[in-house]
Each structure stands twice: as C-alpha cells, then as structure tokens.
Amino acid sequence: MLLYLAFPPANLWLLAYVAPAAWVLLTRMERLPGHRPYTQLYLVGGLHWLVLLQWVRLGHWAAYFGWFALTLYLACYLPAFVGLTRVAHRRFRVPLIVAAPTIWVGLEALRGWLFTGLAIAFLGHTQIHSLQVVQISDLGGAYLVSFLVMLVASALAELIPLQKIVSADAQHSPTRWWPLPVAALAVLAAFAYGHWRLGQTAPTGDRPTARVALIQGSIDTNFYDPTLSRTMLEQYRVLTKIAHREHPDLMIWPESTMPRQYIDIDRTGNVEKGDWLPQDEAQFQKEINARDYDFRLEAFTLGFLEEERHIPLLLGAGTLRLGDHSPQRLNSAIYVDDRGRIADAYHKLHPVMFGEYAPGGQLFPWIYELMPFPAGLTAGDEAKSFEIAGLRMCPSICYENTVPHLMRRQVVELRERGIEPDVLVTLSNDGWFYGSAELDMHLHCGQFRAIELRKPALVAANTGFSAHIADDGRLLAVGPRRDTDVVIAEVRPGWRESVYARWGDVFANACLIFCLAMACGGFLARYNPTNRANGE
C-alpha cells in the first residue's frame, strides 16, 4: 500500500524510501514466517500490480486479459527479490545495503527487456518530483535512482530490531547503524550532483530554435462508436487552425489521430492483395489510389496557409504497406514538409503486446477476433531523424519512450549515421486510458528519457499530457488532463553531455549479472548433497 501511494495518482513520493523496508526486513530473518511465504509474497506483489496498473483494462474489454496476464507476470518479481537478496546476504554475506539495491535494479533491468520490456513504474520513477535527485539518471539511467531509493530503504530496515518483531526469544539480530550514514551520504551526493547540473548555464552563442505546436485533442478510445474517426478528424482540424495563428515551424499530431491511411506501395514487383482488399485489379487500383489521394490531400490542406506557404506537419497515422509480401499495417509518424509533400515516415519499431499485436496471433488468427484491432502491426525498420527549422528531431511512438535502451539505441544509431537528433519527439494516443494515472506515469517516463540522453523532448498526446520537457527533466509547458489544447514549445537543442547516452545500461546490466549469479548460487546450494544431508 505504501509503495502504491508513492506512485500516481497519490504521488506521495517520499514513501518510496520507506515502503520497501518491510521486504528488505524479510531478508534478515533466519526463516521466513508463515505458511508458504513465497506464495504469500507472490499474491501480495500481484495485488500491488493489479491495483497500480488497473488502467490497462480501460480501453476495451479484451484488455482485461492483458491486465490479468501482466499482473500474473509482474507478481513474480517480489518473491524473486526477497529470495535472491536472502541468498546474497545470508549465504554469501553481501552487506544488505549492497545486496538489496543491486538485486532490485537487476530485476528492473530484466523487466525492461523480458517479453519486449515493460519499463514503466520503476521505483526510481517516483522521484521525478525531486529534480535534484533524478539528475543522476544521466549517469546510470532511471535504474540508478531506483538503486538510491532502495539503498535508503535497506538502511532503514537495518535499524529495526528484528527479534522484537518475530518473537521475544528469536535469534538475536543486532541493529546496525552504520548503513544509515552511508545512505545519507549517497543521498547528499545525488543532491549535490543534481544541484550542480541544474545550476549549469548554457554556452553562449546562437542556437537554432524551432517553434512547435503540439496539437492535443481529447477523444477517448471507443471501438463501438462508428463516428469516432470523423469526430476526431474534425476536432484536430479545428485545433490545427488555431495553431496556425501562432505561426509555428512545425505542427505535431498525436499517434493514430489521422484517420486517413498512408499508402506505401512498392510497384517494382507483384503486389499482393491479401484477403481483405479487392481482388479485381481495377477495383484494387481504384481503392488504393483513392486512399493515397485522400491522405495526401488532407495532409496538404492541414498545413496550407496561403499561396505556396505550408507549415510542416508530423502526423500520427496508420500505414498500409504493399508489395511482394502480404499487406502490412504499421503505426507511423508521417513527415509533411514545407511544400505540403510527404517527405518521409517513421514506422514504430516496438509494437505493444496486447495493444498492437496479440501473442500467438500469427499461428492462431482467430485470436484477433477477440481483440480491438483486426490484425497485428508490423514493426518498422529503422530510426529516423527529420530536420526542421535547423533542428534534427527523432520521432518515437507511444510506449517506445518508456523503454530506456530503445530510445538510447535510436540516438546512437542516428549518431553513427551522422544525423544525431537534437530533440526527442513522441506521438502518443493515451485516449485508451480515460484520464487515469497512466497519463502521469507515461509523462514521467518522457522526463527520464530527456535527462538520461540530455536532449529536450516534445510529447504530443491525445487526451494528454502533451509537454515540452527540458533536457534536465523540467516541464516547460504541459497540456491539460483529458482536454484539448495547443501547446506551443520554443525548443532548442540540448548541450549537456550524458554518460548514459555514451555507455548505456552498463550499470543495470552489471546488477542483472549479479542477480543471475545469486540465482545460480542459490540453486546449486539448495541442491548440494552436503547441504541436503545437513538439512539446509
């Protein structure tokens, strides 16, 4: 309950330093209390995640399956934390203030990778309200903040006299005071680093500035409303006309808010039609050409001002890719240049499980009959960087900006290609979540990505939160929750260096390796014939 309250919507972030202490306390006990303690821990962990991520279920009734599946999976991490920390501390004599934070971060790193990764609601994310502390993210990512929080919780757990909690005649476990000053020094060091980082001033000299209009509509996802696409298009058209008055260099629509479909067709070979497009060649060409014309005309009209003036656009839309393969659907950010032409497109690299594809859907197509989408999305091929008003902007879509290693990999790849981005841009449709705490958690992830990579970030989100985020995580402009707005951002390139951008998840991966070593050590010790003979 304490850890739940540390996250949105309560945001009582100081509780994060206290909440894990009870779990760390279990690692000090000679034996875990109760009947089947790890089963109890699994149920407690499952209850925590069930409540914390209740917003997963809101978009569609089929999302309840994803919500339950996600809960059953995430519940494993609490007993794994207690078990592995007990192995490290009790069997291998690793100090608790080292073992517990390292195991916790290692498991967070595993969660960030396993099953395509779920890197939302990390322990460190609770501290985004303390900008001084989270500046250390440019050294080791959000993982380093999680390590600091768990370090404090471990020091507090060492202060509790264990024998008075278990029973009066329990084995004596003395209170240890020395971890407290160690934790205090770590917190002071983080504050000092953050104070220094926030106090730095930008170098003198002209830096290019782009005036960007983030178009935030507010249309909740409803798969049973046949008028939804038309309503969404009309609302975003009106907001785009309002944005014209600000004379921006770029206007950004959120993910999938353009109901028209972009057609990407390779006519150099045979074009496969699949089983849901017209099979007659003439009818097929007529429909494809009509879809292509409608999209291009809409894109041109949205940015058109007068005569040959046109404001560039970045549109969240679906793409239909055709060629000598089965028709593919992609989730895309379409770049419309200053002449109203389709200049380029970024296709989402990291589709969301249960939201954009169903596990096993290719083997069992009937699964998609239960889902709110007709078929799984195809992943894109590469990161993109669009140059607009003298700045290079790297688009990502929806939950891609929650995965730290994915965002870093895009920046590194673009740097190696000589087109390193100056600004991170995220297009998101959070209308699935009806203004819930998901909006806050998603925004916090965007703030951490800006700090980790030391690049300003722009977020255009349907229903919120659209935001302009500085490269130190500060919110320079934010749209409302579940309401419409045009957020104007005067964005400049970042200038701070980042250790994390250069070295990535070295720290988190080292913690994960420690977890694996403890798992192997615990397994071998458990099944060692000598230990079994001694009743261990």
Side-chain angles (χ1 to χ4, degrees):
M1 180 60 72
L2 290 176
L3 188 57
Y4 168 79
L5 292 174
F7 284 100
N11 282 320
L12 303 177
W13 55 275
L14 283 174
L15 290 178
Y17 291 97
V18 180
W23 299 332
V24 177
L25 188 64
L26 295 176
T27 65
R28 293 175 54 199
M29 296 180 178
E30 183 179 4
R31 287 184 177 276
L32 293 178
H35 181 63
R36 297 187 180 277
Y38 284 104
T39 301
Q40 294 182 45
L41 285 169
Y42 178 83
L43 294 174
V44 168
L47 180 60
H48 168 74
W49 286 109
L50 190 73
V51 177
L52 187 66
L53 301 185
Q54 61 82 26
W55 40 261
V56 172
R57 65 186 171 84
L58 296 176
H60 187 267
W61 66 265
Y64 275 84
F65 296 110
W67 180 38
F68 294 141
L70 199 58
T71 297
L72 293 173
Y73 158 62
L74 293 174
C76 297
Y77 283 89
L78 179 54
F81 166 71
V82 173
L84 292 176
T85 306
R86 283 178 63 83
V87 171
H89 179 57
R90 298 189 61 80
R91 184 168 295 280
F92 294 102
R93 306 304 178 194
V94 180
L96 199 55
I97 63 168
V98 175
T102 305
I103 294 293
W104 186 276
V105 169
L107 291 175
E108 281 194 342
L110 180 65
R111 177 155 71 88
W113 282 91
L114 198 59
F115 304 126
T116 74
L118 180 72
I120 202 167
F122 279 177
L123 184 62
H125 291 167
T126 61
Q127 303 307 298
I128 193 62
H129 308 284
S130 176
L131 279 179
Q132 287 87 351
V133 169
V134 297
Q135 297 306 308
I136 61 175
S137 299
D138 71 354
L139 301 175
Y143 300 107
L144 189 56
V145 184
S146 294
F147 187 95
L148 178 68
V149 175
M150 185 56 76
L151 176 67
V152 174
S154 302
L156 294 176
E158 291 274 37
L159 296 178
I160 301 173
L162 186 60
Q163 68 277 14
K164 293 183 180 180
I165 292 177
V166 181
S167 67
D169 58 350
Q171 181 184 8
H172 180 65
S173 179
T175 297
R176 297 182 179 89
W177 290 92
W178 66 266
L180 195 59
V182 173
L185 284 174
V187 172
L188 287 174
F191 265 99
Y193 180 80
H195 181 75
W196 168 62
R197 274 303 212 180
L198 292 173
Q200 289 179 304
T201 56
T204 57
D206 293 334
R207 291 185 294 158
T209 302
R211 185 174 176 82
V212 180
L214 307 173
I215 312 299
Q216 178 180 310
S218 184
I219 303 290
D220 294 325
T221 300
N222 185 345
F223 293 96
Y224 307 104
D225 182 1
T227 67
L228 184 71
S229 295
R230 184 171 66 252
T231 302
M232 179 174 287
L233 183 58
E234 287 304 317
Q235 185 180 95
Y236 276 88
R237 280 173 174 167
V238 171
L239 291 170
T240 301
K241 288 182 179 179
I242 295 173
H244 281 194
R245 304 169 191 166
E246 301 292 337
H247 300 286
D249 299 306
L250 173 69
M251 297 183 294
I252 303 178
W253 279 28
E255 170 197 19
S256 67
T257 48
M258 164 61 82
R260 313 247 188 249
Q261 194 173 43
Y262 174 59
I263 304 299
D264 179 10
I265 185 168
D266 181 1
R267 300 181 184 272
T268 58
N270 294 325
V271 178
E272 294 191 18
K273 302 179 178 64
D275 56 4
W276 47 275
L277 288 169
Q279 300 301 303
D280 178 76
E281 184 64 24
Q283 290 296 323
F284 172 78
Q285 294 296 339
K286 181 179 179 181
E287 178 166 338
I288 293 303
N289 290 337
R291 291 191 190 191
D292 185 54
Y293 176 79
D294 286 347
F295 185 92
R296 293 176 183 275
L297 178 62
E298 188 71 49
F300 178 83
T301 304
L302 286 170
F304 181 75
L305 282 178
E306 55 188 29
E307 296 179 357
E308 296 185 358
R309 292 189 62 197
H310 192 278
I311 300 174
L313 292 148
L314 199 56
L315 297 173
T319 293
L320 177 60
R321 179 183 285 172
L322 300 169
D324 59 352
H325 50 73
S326 299
Q328 298 173 347
R329 295 182 175 92
L330 301 95
N331 191 351
S332 309
I334 311 297
Y335 173 43
V336 184
D337 66 15
D338 57 2
R339 297 182 64 182
R341 302 173 302 181
I342 309 299
D344 206 344
Y346 165 75
H347 306 297
K348 189 176 184 180
L349 300 172
H350 190 79
V352 176
M353 188 185 302
F354 296 112
E356 292 171 324
Y357 75 95
Q362 291 186 337
L363 293 175
F364 307 104
W366 57 266
I367 292 177
Y368 284 108
E369 297 178 7
L370 305 175
M371 295 290 146
F373 38 88
L377 293 183
T378 300
D381 304 315
E382 61 178 357
K384 291 292 182 73
S385 176
F386 305 141
E387 185 171 357
I388 302 164
L391 294 178
R392 287 204 167 271
M393 301 189 182
C394 171
S396 62
I397 297 177
C398 193
Y399 272 22
E400 288 187 314
N401 79 335
T402 69
V403 185
H405 59 266
L406 174 68
M407 296 295 290
R408 176 188 171 271
R409 187 169 69 238
Q410 289 188 357
V411 170
V412 170
E413 177 188 332
L414 293 169
R415 180 193 301 152
E416 291 173 350
R417 287 159 49 188
I419 50 175
E420 180 177 357
D422 302 300
V423 182
L424 307 176
V425 179
T426 300
L427 286 65
S428 182
N429 184 357
D430 286 352
W432 289 66
F433 306 111
Y434 290 76
S436 66
E438 185 277 343
L439 274 62
D440 305 83
M441 294 182 188
H442 200 173
L443 178 61
H444 296 169
C445 288
Q447 291 175 266
F448 269 96
R449 300 299 87 80
I451 302 169
E452 289 166 353
L453 300 171
R454 289 302 180 188
K455 294 185 183 297
L458 299 174
V459 180
N462 178 49
T463 75
F465 292 112
S466 298
H468 177 199
I469 306 170
D471 65 352
D472 56 13
R474 286 178 298 124
L475 295 174
L476 302 179
V478 186
R481 184 189 300 271
R482 211 176 176 190
D483 201 355
T484 62
D485 198 7
V486 175
V487 179
I488 301 299
E490 301 280 351
V491 62
R492 295 177 176 83
W495 48 272
R496 296 176 174 91
E497 292 294 324
S498 167
V499 173
Y500 180 81
R502 183 173 297 275
W503 295 102
D505 292 320
V506 171
F507 170 71
N509 291 338
C511 294
L512 178 56
I513 291 171
F514 181 79
C515 282
L516 297 176
M518 292 303 101
C520 292
F523 178 82
L524 294 175
R526 181 178 179 84
Y527 292 99
N528 186 306
T530 303
N531 293 338
R532 294 181 67 181
N534 294 333
E536 296 185 17

